[in-house]
mmCIF file with all atom_site columns, all heavy atoms in Angstrom:
data_model
loop_
_atom_site.group_PDB
_atom_site.id
_atom_site.type_symbol
_atom_site.label_atom_id
_atom_site.label_alt_id
_atom_site.label_comp_id
_atom_site.label_asym_id
_atom_site.label_entity_id
_atom_site.label_seq_id
_atom_site.pdbx_PDB_ins_code
_atom_site.Cartn_x
_atom_site.Cartn_y
_atom_site.Cartn_z
_atom_site.occupancy
_atom_site.B_iso_or_equiv
_atom_site.pdbx_formal_charge
_atom_site.auth_seq_id
_atom_site.auth_comp_id
_atom_site.auth_asym_id
_atom_site.auth_atom_id
_atom_site.pdbx_PDB_model_num
ATOM 1  N N   . SER A 1 177 ? -19.315 -2.068 -12.912 1.00 97.00 ? 177 SER A N   1
ATOM 2  C CA  . SER A 1 177 ? -20.637 -1.449 -12.890 1.00 97.00 ? 177 SER A CA  1
ATOM 3  C C   . SER A 1 177 ? -20.899 -0.829 -11.493 1.00 97.00 ? 177 SER A C   1
ATOM 4  O O   . SER A 1 177 ? -21.508 0.214  -11.439 1.00 97.00 ? 177 SER A O   1
ATOM 5  C CB  . SER A 1 177 ? -21.740 -2.442 -13.227 1.00 97.00 ? 177 SER A CB  1
ATOM 6  O OG  . SER A 1 177 ? -21.747 -3.497 -12.352 1.00 97.00 ? 177 SER A OG  1
ATOM 7  N N   . GLN A 1 178 ? -20.395 -1.495 -10.470 1.00 96.00 ? 178 GLN A N   1
ATOM 8  C CA  . GLN A 1 178 ? -20.569 -0.909 -9.098  1.00 96.00 ? 178 GLN A CA  1
ATOM 9  C C   . GLN A 1 178 ? -19.794 0.398  -8.960  1.00 96.00 ? 178 GLN A C   1
ATOM 10 O O   . GLN A 1 178 ? -20.248 1.304  -8.291  1.00 96.00 ? 178 GLN A O   1
ATOM 11 C CB  . GLN A 1 178 ? -20.109 -1.978 -7.994  1.00 96.00 ? 178 GLN A CB  1
ATOM 12 C CG  . GLN A 1 178 ? -20.998 -3.210 -8.036  1.00 96.00 ? 178 GLN A CG  1
ATOM 13 C CD  . GLN A 1 178 ? -20.386 -4.270 -7.199  1.00 96.00 ? 178 GLN A CD  1
ATOM 14 O OE1 . GLN A 1 178 ? -19.153 -4.463 -7.113  1.00 96.00 ? 178 GLN A OE1 1
ATOM 15 N NE2 . GLN A 1 178 ? -21.232 -5.014 -6.444  1.00 96.00 ? 178 GLN A NE2 1
ATOM 16 N N   . LEU A 1 179 ? -18.565 0.412  -9.491  1.00 97.00 ? 179 LEU A N   1
ATOM 17 C CA  . LEU A 1 179 ? -17.728 1.581  -9.428  1.00 97.00 ? 179 LEU A CA  1
ATOM 18 C C   . LEU A 1 179 ? -18.487 2.734  -10.176 1.00 97.00 ? 179 LEU A C   1
ATOM 19 O O   . LEU A 1 179 ? -18.562 3.850  -9.616  1.00 97.00 ? 179 LEU A O   1
ATOM 20 C CB  . LEU A 1 179 ? -16.396 1.412  -10.064 1.00 97.00 ? 179 LEU A CB  1
ATOM 21 C CG  . LEU A 1 179 ? -15.447 0.441  -9.338  1.00 97.00 ? 179 LEU A CG  1
ATOM 22 C CD1 . LEU A 1 179 ? -14.187 0.213  -10.240 1.00 97.00 ? 179 LEU A CD1 1
ATOM 23 C CD2 . LEU A 1 179 ? -14.997 1.039  -8.069  1.00 97.00 ? 179 LEU A CD2 1
ATOM 24 N N   . ASP A 1 180 ? -18.996 2.466  -11.337 1.00 97.00 ? 180 ASP A N   1
ATOM 25 C CA  . ASP A 1 180 ? -19.699 3.489  -12.099 1.00 97.00 ? 180 ASP A CA  1
ATOM 26 C C   . ASP A 1 180 ? -20.922 4.005  -11.389 1.00 97.00 ? 180 ASP A C   1
ATOM 27 O O   . ASP A 1 180 ? -21.184 5.220  -11.294 1.00 97.00 ? 180 ASP A O   1
ATOM 28 C CB  . ASP A 1 180 ? -20.102 2.934  -13.474 1.00 97.00 ? 180 ASP A CB  1
ATOM 29 C CG  . ASP A 1 180 ? -18.884 2.695  -14.392 1.00 97.00 ? 180 ASP A CG  1
ATOM 30 O OD1 . ASP A 1 180 ? -17.850 3.346  -14.243 1.00 97.00 ? 180 ASP A OD1 1
ATOM 31 O OD2 . ASP A 1 180 ? -19.029 1.834  -15.265 1.00 97.00 ? 180 ASP A OD2 1
ATOM 32 N N   . GLN A 1 181 ? -21.714 3.073  -10.789 1.00 97.00 ? 181 GLN A N   1
ATOM 33 C CA  . GLN A 1 181 ? -22.898 3.466  -10.088 1.00 97.00 ? 181 GLN A CA  1
ATOM 34 C C   . GLN A 1 181 ? -22.567 4.367  -8.889  1.00 97.00 ? 181 GLN A C   1
ATOM 35 O O   . GLN A 1 181 ? -23.211 5.449  -8.703  1.00 97.00 ? 181 GLN A O   1
ATOM 36 C CB  . GLN A 1 181 ? -23.657 2.251  -9.627  1.00 97.00 ? 181 GLN A CB  1
ATOM 37 C CG  . GLN A 1 181 ? -24.331 1.441  -10.722 1.00 97.00 ? 181 GLN A CG  1
ATOM 38 C CD  . GLN A 1 181 ? -24.840 0.137  -10.222 1.00 97.00 ? 181 GLN A CD  1
ATOM 39 O OE1 . GLN A 1 181 ? -24.651 -0.281 -9.118  1.00 97.00 ? 181 GLN A OE1 1
ATOM 40 N NE2 . GLN A 1 181 ? -25.435 -0.647 -11.156 1.00 97.00 ? 181 GLN A NE2 1
ATOM 41 N N   . LEU A 1 182 ? -21.606 4.013  -8.113  1.00 98.00 ? 182 LEU A N   1
ATOM 42 C CA  . LEU A 1 182 ? -21.310 4.774  -6.894  1.00 98.00 ? 182 LEU A CA  1
ATOM 43 C C   . LEU A 1 182 ? -20.654 6.163  -7.217  1.00 98.00 ? 182 LEU A C   1
ATOM 44 O O   . LEU A 1 182 ? -21.004 7.141  -6.654  1.00 98.00 ? 182 LEU A O   1
ATOM 45 C CB  . LEU A 1 182 ? -20.397 3.957  -5.932  1.00 98.00 ? 182 LEU A CB  1
ATOM 46 C CG  . LEU A 1 182 ? -20.141 4.547  -4.585  1.00 98.00 ? 182 LEU A CG  1
ATOM 47 C CD1 . LEU A 1 182 ? -21.479 4.935  -3.885  1.00 98.00 ? 182 LEU A CD1 1
ATOM 48 C CD2 . LEU A 1 182 ? -19.443 3.555  -3.672  1.00 98.00 ? 182 LEU A CD2 1
ATOM 49 N N   . VAL A 1 183 ? -19.754 6.201  -8.188  1.00 98.00 ? 183 VAL A N   1
ATOM 50 C CA  . VAL A 1 183 ? -19.128 7.448  -8.558  1.00 98.00 ? 183 VAL A CA  1
ATOM 51 C C   . VAL A 1 183 ? -20.180 8.387  -9.167  1.00 98.00 ? 183 VAL A C   1
ATOM 52 O O   . VAL A 1 183 ? -20.118 9.596  -9.010  1.00 98.00 ? 183 VAL A O   1
ATOM 53 C CB  . VAL A 1 183 ? -17.886 7.289  -9.389  1.00 98.00 ? 183 VAL A CB  1
ATOM 54 C CG1 . VAL A 1 183 ? -18.167 6.980  -10.817 1.00 98.00 ? 183 VAL A CG1 1
ATOM 55 C CG2 . VAL A 1 183 ? -17.011 8.567  -9.247  1.00 98.00 ? 183 VAL A CG2 1
ATOM 56 N N   . ASP A 1 184 ? -21.160 7.856  -9.880  1.00 98.00 ? 184 ASP A N   1
ATOM 57 C CA  . ASP A 1 184 ? -22.222 8.704  -10.393 1.00 98.00 ? 184 ASP A CA  1
ATOM 58 C C   . ASP A 1 184 ? -23.047 9.303  -9.300  1.00 98.00 ? 184 ASP A C   1
ATOM 59 O O   . ASP A 1 184 ? -23.470 10.425 -9.352  1.00 98.00 ? 184 ASP A O   1
ATOM 60 C CB  . ASP A 1 184 ? -23.149 7.865  -11.363 1.00 98.00 ? 184 ASP A CB  1
ATOM 61 C CG  . ASP A 1 184 ? -22.478 7.657  -12.740 1.00 98.00 ? 184 ASP A CG  1
ATOM 62 O OD1 . ASP A 1 184 ? -21.531 8.363  -13.052 1.00 98.00 ? 184 ASP A OD1 1
ATOM 63 O OD2 . ASP A 1 184 ? -23.028 6.785  -13.449 1.00 98.00 ? 184 ASP A OD2 1
ATOM 64 N N   . ILE A 1 185 ? -23.336 8.516  -8.258  1.00 98.00 ? 185 ILE A N   1
ATOM 65 C CA  . ILE A 1 185 ? -24.089 9.014  -7.104  1.00 98.00 ? 185 ILE A CA  1
ATOM 66 C C   . ILE A 1 185 ? -23.298 10.163 -6.462  1.00 98.00 ? 185 ILE A C   1
ATOM 67 O O   . ILE A 1 185 ? -23.897 11.159 -6.079  1.00 98.00 ? 185 ILE A O   1
ATOM 68 C CB  . ILE A 1 185 ? -24.389 7.871  -6.093  1.00 98.00 ? 185 ILE A CB  1
ATOM 69 C CG1 . ILE A 1 185 ? -25.385 6.882  -6.641  1.00 98.00 ? 185 ILE A CG1 1
ATOM 70 C CG2 . ILE A 1 185 ? -24.899 8.405  -4.748  1.00 98.00 ? 185 ILE A CG2 1
ATOM 71 C CD1 . ILE A 1 185 ? -25.496 5.548  -5.897  1.00 98.00 ? 185 ILE A CD1 1
ATOM 72 N N   . ILE A 1 186 ? -22.019 9.937  -6.241  1.00 98.00 ? 186 ILE A N   1
ATOM 73 C CA  . ILE A 1 186 ? -21.184 10.977 -5.635  1.00 98.00 ? 186 ILE A CA  1
ATOM 74 C C   . ILE A 1 186 ? -21.145 12.250 -6.506  1.00 98.00 ? 186 ILE A C   1
ATOM 75 O O   . ILE A 1 186 ? -21.394 13.347 -6.006  1.00 98.00 ? 186 ILE A O   1
ATOM 76 C CB  . ILE A 1 186 ? -19.772 10.441 -5.338  1.00 98.00 ? 186 ILE A CB  1
ATOM 77 C CG1 . ILE A 1 186 ? -19.764 9.245  -4.461  1.00 98.00 ? 186 ILE A CG1 1
ATOM 78 C CG2 . ILE A 1 186 ? -18.820 11.543 -4.820  1.00 98.00 ? 186 ILE A CG2 1
ATOM 79 C CD1 . ILE A 1 186 ? -18.461 8.409  -4.456  1.00 98.00 ? 186 ILE A CD1 1
ATOM 80 N N   . TRP A 1 187 ? -20.866 12.061 -7.788  1.00 98.00 ? 187 TRP A N   1
ATOM 81 C CA  . TRP A 1 187 ? -20.787 13.232 -8.666  1.00 98.00 ? 187 TRP A CA  1
ATOM 82 C C   . TRP A 1 187 ? -22.104 14.003 -8.654  1.00 98.00 ? 187 TRP A C   1
ATOM 83 O O   . TRP A 1 187 ? -22.170 15.215 -8.570  1.00 98.00 ? 187 TRP A O   1
ATOM 84 C CB  . TRP A 1 187 ? -20.458 12.792 -10.085 1.00 98.00 ? 187 TRP A CB  1
ATOM 85 C CG  . TRP A 1 187 ? -20.480 13.922 -11.104 1.00 98.00 ? 187 TRP A CG  1
ATOM 86 C CD1 . TRP A 1 187 ? -21.367 14.095 -12.056 1.00 98.00 ? 187 TRP A CD1 1
ATOM 87 C CD2 . TRP A 1 187 ? -19.606 15.041 -11.146 1.00 98.00 ? 187 TRP A CD2 1
ATOM 88 N NE1 . TRP A 1 187 ? -21.123 15.229 -12.739 1.00 98.00 ? 187 TRP A NE1 1
ATOM 89 C CE2 . TRP A 1 187 ? -20.026 15.891 -12.196 1.00 98.00 ? 187 TRP A CE2 1
ATOM 90 C CE3 . TRP A 1 187 ? -18.535 15.466 -10.355 1.00 98.00 ? 187 TRP A CE3 1
ATOM 91 C CZ2 . TRP A 1 187 ? -19.356 17.070 -12.520 1.00 98.00 ? 187 TRP A CZ2 1
ATOM 92 C CZ3 . TRP A 1 187 ? -17.894 16.612 -10.751 1.00 98.00 ? 187 TRP A CZ3 1
ATOM 93 C CH2 . TRP A 1 187 ? -18.342 17.465 -11.762 1.00 98.00 ? 187 TRP A CH2 1
#
Side-chain angles (χ1 to χ4, degrees):
S177 63
Q178 294 171 324
L179 291 173
D180 290 334
Q181 290 167 358
L182 189 49
V183 77
D184 283 344
I185 290 169
I186 299 163
W187 174 250

